[in-house]
Amino acid sequence: MSGLTIALTKGRILQETLPLLARAGLTPAEDIQASRKLEFATNVNDVRLLVLRGADVTTYVRHGVADLGIAGKDMLLEHGSDGLYELLDLEISRCRLMTAAPKGQPPKKAGERVSVASKFTNIARRHYADMGMNADIIALYGALELAPNVGLSDEIVDIVDTGNTLRANGLETRELIAHVSSRLIANKAALKMKYAQIKSLEDRLREAVQG
Ligand code: AMP
């Protein structure tokens, strides 16, 4: 299949992605933010954009439905990088993946059991195993900050930017798991088949990031 399909992450990341793409010479043919459509043509004839949930971008790129994707590092850590290349750190949507617990609650020690609520269940499982702790991981997809306050979990693993959301809910940050920013990813086969086209966009995006 000719042409290039790029899977974008909607929401906060999209807002910072569009200006970067524009500086790299790629603009959607219509206003993405004002539309409910999920697929968009661009000013470049054979390049189209898909607008997806963050958790789905790696899936689309892994399956080759999209050649390229823009996804948070948190999604790459959670869903794995099999079949993908991470081409470029776009240095946008920076945040941290952290553990958090109620303010003042004594930290759990190695060897102790701890219950942890997170939507990043794989990341959380790996982190607590690395810390030598027995973690019961509880999958939650929203309002994570509530979990420790209602007794659902001892701790949470979540994205932290300013820390305001945690503080507003009586929580404090504990361990840093990873620094997060958005990355340009490519399907491995697509990179081989469409090398020149992908490389050219990667180079323009790199210049846009540096500029
Ligand atoms: P804050 O209160 O500034 O620490 O923001 C925390 C909340 O904002 C988290 O629960 C996240 O859901 C969301 N958030 C902040 N930064 C990002 C980001 N770069 N990507 C995705 N979600 C984010």
Side-chain angles (χ1 to χ4, degrees), residues 122-193:
N122 296 321
I123 292 171
R125 194 169 290 112
R126 278 199 304 269
H127 172 76
Y128 285 90
D130 288 349
M131 303 287 290
M133 290 158 98
N134 268 324
D136 295 317
I137 309 293
I138 300 162
L140 279 188
Y141 296 96
L144 274 178
E145 299 80 8
L146 194 59
N149 295 332
V150 296
L152 185 57
S153 71
D154 300 312
E155 301 190 359
I156 64 172
V157 167
D158 201 5
I159 295 282
V160 180
D161 181 11
T162 60
N164 287 341
T165 309
L166 292 179
R167 271 189 297 277
N169 289 285
L171 305 181
E172 62 187 10
T173 55
R174 294 283 168 91
E175 309 274 338
L176 172 69
I177 301 178
H179 286 282
V180 171
S181 56
S182 298
R183 311 295 163 106
L184 176 68
I185 57 172
N187 173 277
K188 283 189 176 174
L191 184 64
K192 283 203 191 89
M193 311 258 296

Side-chain angles (χ1 to χ4, degrees), residues 24 195-205:
Y195 185 78
Q197 206 180 359
I198 289 177
K199 191 72 191 149
S200 150
L201 181 61
E202 181 195 335
D203 288 346
R204 280 179 284 132
L205 274 170

Side-chain angles (χ1 to χ4, degrees), residues 52-112:
L52 308 172
R53 288 179 65 104
D56 295 333
V57 169
T58 50
T59 306
Y60 273 66
V61 177
R62 183 172 292 118
H63 286 266
V65 184
D67 304 298
L68 292 172
I70 291 180
K73 181 71 179 177
D74 51 333
M75 290 300 150
L76 299 176
L77 292 172
E78 178 65 16
H79 299 294
S81 303
D82 287 355
L84 308 174
Y85 286 121
E86 196 181 304
L87 297 181
L88 182 62
D89 183 349
L90 298 170
E91 299 178 19
I92 55 171
S93 301
R94 287 176 182 281
C95 54
R96 291 159 293 157
L97 257 171
M98 302 200 69
T99 70
K103 200 165 185 305
Q105 176 180 284
K108 296 279 179 183
K109 298 186 193 72
E112 281 189 308

